[in-house]
Amino acid sequence: MLALYAFVVGSVAARSKRRRLADSARNALIFAFFSTLIAAAILARALVQHNFTFQYVAQHTSRDLSTVYSLTAFWGGEEGSLLLWLLVLTGYAALAVTLNRRLLRDVVTWVVPVMGGIATFFSFMLVAVASPFVTIPRVVDGAGLVPSLQNPYMVAHPPLLYLGYVGLSVPFAFAAGAMLSGQTDERWIVATRRWTLAAWTFLGFGQLLGAHWAYLEVGWGGYYSWDPVEIAALMPWLVATAFLHSVMIQERKGMLRVWNMVLVAFAFNLSLFGTFLTRSGVVNSIHSFAKSSIGAWFLGMVVVSSLFSTALIIWRLPLLRARTKLESALSREAAFLYNNLLFVALCLTLLWGEVFPILTQYVDGYQRTMGRPYFDFFLRIFGLPLLLLMGIGPLVAWRRASGRALLRTLRWPLGASIIAGIALVSIGDGSSRPGLIAYTFSVFALTAIVVELVRGTRATGSLFELIGRNRRRYGGYIVHAAIVLFVIGVVGSSDYSTTRERQLAPGHSMTVDGYTVTYEGLSHSLSNTVSGSSVTTTAKLAVTGRMHLKMGTSSIDSSALGISRMVGVRTDWWRAEDLYAILDSVQGKGPTQTAFIIIEVEPLVNLIWIAGFIFLGGSLVAMWPDAREQRKLATRLSLARA
Amino acid sequence: MARSTRSPARLIVALSVAGVLAVFLVYTALTGTTPALQPSNLVGHPGTVSLTGKVVGQVTGDAHNPTGLHFELHNIQGKSPIVPIIYHGSVPDLFESGRDVNVTGELVGGSFVATALTTKCPSKYTAQV
């Protein structure tokens, strides 16, 4: 009711410019957060206390589940996830409208009903479609949580994704507020920059945690499978990345104003559309939660939200005209534009890959799916030029650059990448052409970042002072460095990995890429819980060669859940390489039992996870409050008001 | 900042979009997609397909032996013909009778010979009470 009040009364107040009524609507939105907090506390208490009179608690926890994992069941189910979504949404809304109530009074007056409208949708879903507070006759024990989900990564991965998805509603609401109020200058972008950056960071880091969980827990040796659920999270992140770049052009040059409105609306609608795709069951996913009752509602919300955003942008086109125009195709502005086009093109091809099966369902009567080759192809087509642009963009001059000056600026990155390319071919890395190109481009981009840092450090005398003086810019460079490391890790572990599978008797060995792995036999352990019994079979392995160590890989046969595997992973940090072992199956009985073992050598895979922390650090630097930036902002705002 | 009367921005945008579309259309026209079917509509689809269904009955054999792993699939929901599956390769986590799985392969002499097998993640939103 509070959200509905904020939506309806906020709209009336904004339209009639009644300040007290607008304050009342804003307060309703803030109190909607506190009332959602109370509901969340009730559900959390029920989960921790195993109150099985709640159907949700019975479906997602069991008595033997630890307190931490009982709490994580909050977002382990659809209904709880929706409550978390509403909690984060109202929390963000309360904070955003409170912090900006004086700075952007006219815009915030319209932000309140927009956020209120979104919160009303989620409140309706919780009350009418998927409530976590449905009661049932008390049961003795609950269904529990799948063992692979009882993992620290799964504690953080889903809420981080929600923080990201929901966070995109703040810049969307401010963009809509700016258009509704007619205040379409750059202030809304400045006010929401950190919100967008935070949402983007959560979404990016959340996806990376999910990938690491899959790598360690799912037992197939990979971390990303281009599943529709994974793509649904990637698409808004790509568009938000484009937006974070293009807002710099709007702030500095007053260009791309329509484009930015389109991007922010597209990112928000993609977060809703992704939820529709993954919950409606219209696409084939390995995630079994891909079929539920909320999908159609989300589709409805996407339609309403898309029509609303499109109508607003068309209505306000006269106010969104660019103050200046692009002067040269060889300039920093143009580099940002190319970057944006590539990000959006990549996102659209992914979206096409998601929607194509649904369309063929209507034409052929059955779905035709785009497989991994389709997604890999477009990732290379758009991703490799993006990598190159990451190196060129920061070094090219604003307004207009000459080819000769650019070549002079790029001489170090160019030289380093050519030397790296020759070196890589000479050591045999030319076996994968896309891999070789990606490595070479990575060296180019990384050298460009180093050149920028060295040049800046020479000017200021200290690297820390340099970063402190322009946190946004150098935080961005740190993020760029993280992306380059990420790419190197992905290329190394996908294009240059080695896999061997063999059935081994005790004492027998297999050699994989410089490692000799000897199977020493099996050990068994039995455990009993309220939910049932499970037998853990562990294959003991001795590794010699590049590393000398003992390791194990297990198979857990649970009476309740079937067979799941625990992979064995040992890391060689000097090479950032993993030796990855999977116990696939066991044959025979007694001491001569043979085991089918899969061994994978994953070069540079750990750079992916290291890159995640650098990405986080860079984002924090870029987000950190900056007195110099605040002064610039004050000047810009006074100019905008004048 | 000077205002330019002839901006290359629109040309860049138009050429980029056209290029993207051209690459995209050529690629999708040249490369094959895989039909995603259920046991009920498998018949009449030669070549490689992706088949999704529920494992029914007993699972026998060994995926690493020449005879392979044998099991049967029917539609996840509703009635359908039962399709015998022969699979060689790595058996995924949580694979057992009653699970929803996806196999990729082709129909050979009445049996579906699979080269890839994935168990649908029995994760969060599946009620198990």
Side-chain angles (χ1 to χ4, degrees):
Chain A
M1 289 308 291
L2 287 165
L4 188 62
Y5 182 88
F7 173 48
V8 176
V9 175
S11 303
V12 172
R15 193 165 166 73
S16 59
K17 298 190 187 303
R18 289 160 69 181
R19 184 167 288 187
R20 289 189 68 183
L21 204 57
D23 288 346
S24 167
R26 194 185 68 228
N27 290 337
L29 194 60
I30 294 166
F31 278 103
F33 166 65
F34 289 110
S35 60
T36 311
L37 194 61
I38 292 168
I42 291 168
L43 182 62
R45 186 184 157 94
L47 287 164
V48 171
Q49 292 184 341
H50 303 302
N51 184 348
F52 296 131
T53 52
F54 287 114
Q55 187 181 33
Y56 185 81
V57 177
Q59 281 178 343
H60 298 96
T61 67
S62 57
R63 290 192 187 283
D64 58 347
L65 205 60
S66 69
T67 304
V68 172
Y69 292 119
S70 294
L71 263 178
T72 63
F74 194 112
W75 48 85
E78 185 172 274
E79 299 85 350
S81 297
L82 281 173
L83 182 57
L84 179 68
W85 198 311
L86 184 65
L87 181 70
V88 176
L89 177 70
T90 51
Y92 276 159
L95 203 59
V97 298
T98 304
L99 291 176
N100 292 292
R101 68 187 187 282
R102 289 198 178 87
L103 198 67
L104 284 166
R105 179 176 280 279
D106 294 343
V107 176
V108 166
T109 307
W110 277 108
V111 170
V112 169
V114 174
M115 290 300 264
I118 303 167
T120 302
F121 168 72
F122 280 97
S123 306
F124 168 77
M125 296 296 293
L126 271 167
V127 173
V129 183
S131 169
F133 299 111
V134 172
T135 54
I136 54 168
R138 197 179 179 87
V139 292
V140 177
D141 198 5
L145 199 64
V146 176
S148 58
L149 296 181
Q150 294 176 38
N151 180 293
Y153 288 102
M154 276 293 135
V155 175
H157 163 66
L160 281 176
L161 287 186
Y162 290 124
L163 285 167
Y165 277 139
V166 184
L168 292 174
S169 63
V170 176
F172 169 75
F174 273 79
M179 286 189 282
L180 286 162
S181 64
Q183 306 287 317
T184 53
D185 54 74
E186 280 65 58
R187 285 179 299 158
W188 74 271
I189 278 180
V190 177
T192 58
R193 185 180 78 80
R194 285 194 176 79
W195 289 96
T196 314
L197 199 52
W200 175 80
T201 306
F202 285 135
L203 202 51
F205 196 68
Q207 287 178 79
L208 204 62
L209 287 186
H212 202 191
W213 168 81
Y215 180 70
L216 295 175
E217 278 292 331
V218 182
W220 58 283
Y223 42 81
Y224 202 82
S225 63
W226 292 116
D227 184 78
V229 172
E230 296 166 353
I231 296 170
L234 183 59
M235 288 189 298
W237 187 84
L238 290 172
V239 177
T241 311
F243 177 69
L244 281 171
H245 285 88
S246 62
V247 290
M248 286 187 258
I249 301 298
Q250 182 172 347
E251 280 181 51
R252 201 175 168 115
K253 302 282 180 185
M255 291 161 61
L256 304 178
R257 298 172 83 196
V258 177
W259 178 250
N260 281 327
M261 290 294 184
V262 170
L263 284 184
V264 79
F266 191 34
F268 173 68
N269 285 312
L270 275 175
S271 70
L272 294 175
F273 188 65
T275 311
F276 156 69
L277 277 180
T278 55
R279 300 284 185 270
S280 61
V282 295
V283 287
N284 197 13
S285 165
I286 57 166
H287 296 76
S288 61
F289 61 79
K291 186 126 193 166
S292 78
S293 54
I294 66 171
W297 291 100
F298 270 85
L299 181 62
M301 181 65 180
V302 171
V303 171
V304 170
S305 173
S306 302
L307 289 175
F308 170 70
S309 338
T310 310
L312 265 185
I313 293 169
I314 292 170
W315 176 46
R316 288 304 194 187
L317 271 180
L319 288 178
L320 294 171
R321 287 213 178 94
R323 289 203 308 269
T324 54
K325 290 186 176 175
L326 193 64
E327 290 181 52
S328 166
L330 199 62
S331 62
R332 180 83 61 97
E333 298 92 313
F336 274 94
L337 184 63
Y338 305 142
N339 147 305
N340 262 244
L341 290 170
L342 288 167
F343 271 117
V344 173
L346 178 57
C347 176
L348 289 175
T349 51
L350 297 184
L351 185 63
W352 178 247
E354 292 264 74
V355 173
F356 183 78
I358 305 169
L359 298 178
T360 54
Q361 173 86 52
Y362 291 104
V363 177
D364 296 332
Y366 58 89
Q367 293 191 356
R368 288 184 164 274
T369 55
M370 307 277 208
R372 186 171 195 114
Y374 169 86
F375 294 109
D376 283 348
F377 173 81
F378 281 109
L379 182 66
R380 286 166 181 166
I381 287 289
F382 298 120
L384 291 173
L386 272 170
L387 198 56
L388 201 60
L389 270 177
M390 205 188 288
I392 298 170
L395 298 181
V396 66
W398 288 99
R399 291 184 66 183
R400 191 181 291 274
S402 75
R404 188 175 293 176
L406 184 61
L407 270 178
R408 201 182 314 123
T409 313
L410 294 175
R411 65 186 185 280
W412 285 104
L414 274 173
S417 56
I418 290 167
I419 292 168
I422 294 167
L424 288 166
V425 170
S426 67
I427 61 169
D429 280 356
S431 57
S432 163
R433 195 168 293 168
L436 182 66
I437 296 170
Y439 276 162
T440 313
F441 284 9
S442 297
V443 171
F444 178 87
L446 213 50
T447 312
I449 295 165
V450 171
V451 165
E452 267 293 275
L453 290 176
V454 168
R455 191 190 290 169
T457 307
R458 275 187 188 155
T460 57
S462 157
L463 178 66
F464 291 106
E465 197 184 329
L466 175 75
I467 294 172
R469 276 190 185 185
N470 196 339
R471 294 193 179 112
R472 183 180 182 183
R473 179 177 177 181
Y474 291 100
Y477 288 167
I478 295 170
V479 170
H480 281 187
I483 300 294
V484 173
L485 288 182
F486 174 84
V487 170
I488 295 172
V490 169
V491 170
S493 57
S494 52
D495 286 20
Y496 298 100
S497 66
T498 311
T499 305
R500 295 275 183 280
E501 306 175 357
R502 194 157 295 172
Q503 188 161 2
L504 297 172
H508 287 213
S509 305
M510 64 197 280
T511 302
V512 189
D513 206 11
Y515 296 95
T516 300
V517 180
T518 306
Y519 165 58
E520 295 186 324
L522 297 172
S523 67
H524 304 275
S525 65
L526 176 71
S527 64
N528 289 300
T529 62
V530 182
S531 310
S533 62
S534 65
V535 178
T536 302
T537 305
T538 303
K540 291 175 282 184
L541 305 171
V543 180
T544 55
R546 284 191 194 173
M547 287 193 286
H548 290 259
L549 49 88
K550 302 267 185 187
M551 65 188 292
T553 166
S554 308
S555 166
I556 303 168
D557 192 352
S558 159
S559 59
L561 298 159
I563 296 173
S564 55
R565 287 172 294 189
M566 302 295 288
V567 301
V569 183
R570 289 293 181 274
T571 301
D572 178 347
W573 285 107
W574 284 110
R575 294 186 179 87
E577 177 175 279
D578 274 354
L579 181 68
Y580 191 97
I582 305 165
L583 173 60
D584 193 70
S585 61
V586 173
Q587 283 88 30
K589 286 185 178 173
T592 57
Q593 273 184 314
T594 60
F596 198 92
I597 307 278
I598 301 170
I599 299 290
E600 295 187 3
V601 177
E602 304 271 2
L604 302 172
V605 68
N606 288 289
L607 288 184
I608 298 173
W609 325 126
I610 293 168
F613 289 101
I614 298 173
F615 168 82
L616 203 57
S619 300
L620 280 173
V621 169
M623 265 186 270
W624 207 259
D626 187 340
R628 197 162 154 262
E629 191 194 334
Q630 290 300 321
R631 283 197 295 275
K632 274 187 184 173
L633 169 64
T635 311
R636 198 178 294 138
L637 290 182
S638 59
L639 284 173
R641 283 198 186 103
Chain B
M1 185 83 192
R3 286 186 71 101
S4 166
T5 50
R6 288 185 64 201
S7 163
R10 286 185 186 175
L11 182 65
I12 292 166
V13 171
L15 286 176
S16 306
V17 171
V20 166
L21 283 174
V23 171
F24 169 69
L25 288 173
V26 169
Y27 182 80
T28 46
L30 292 178
T31 56
T33 51
T34 310
L37 306 169
Q38 301 179 82
S40 57
N41 58 359
L42 175 65
V43 176
H45 288 282
T48 302
V49 301
S50 164
L51 184 70
T52 301
K54 189 182 283 295
V55 181
V56 289
Q58 275 200 319
V59 177
T60 58
D62 186 330
H64 299 299
N65 280 346
T67 50
L69 187 76
H70 291 249
F71 57 95
E72 292 176 327
L73 284 188
H74 78 164
N75 279 16
I76 291 174
Q77 285 176 332
K79 289 184 177 177
S80 78
I82 289 175
V83 178
I85 311 286
I86 303 168
Y87 172 67
H88 293 93
S90 180
V91 181
D93 272 14
L94 306 178
F95 174 81
E96 63 178 1
S97 184
R99 290 273 187 234
D100 296 346
V101 299
N102 178 269
V103 285
T104 305
E106 60 184 316
L107 208 49
V108 180
S111 289
F112 189 87
V113 179
T115 51
L117 168 64
T118 318
T119 310
K120 285 206 171 203
C121 177
S123 58
K124 355 193 226 181
Y125 304 123
T126 305
Q128 292 172 27
V129 173

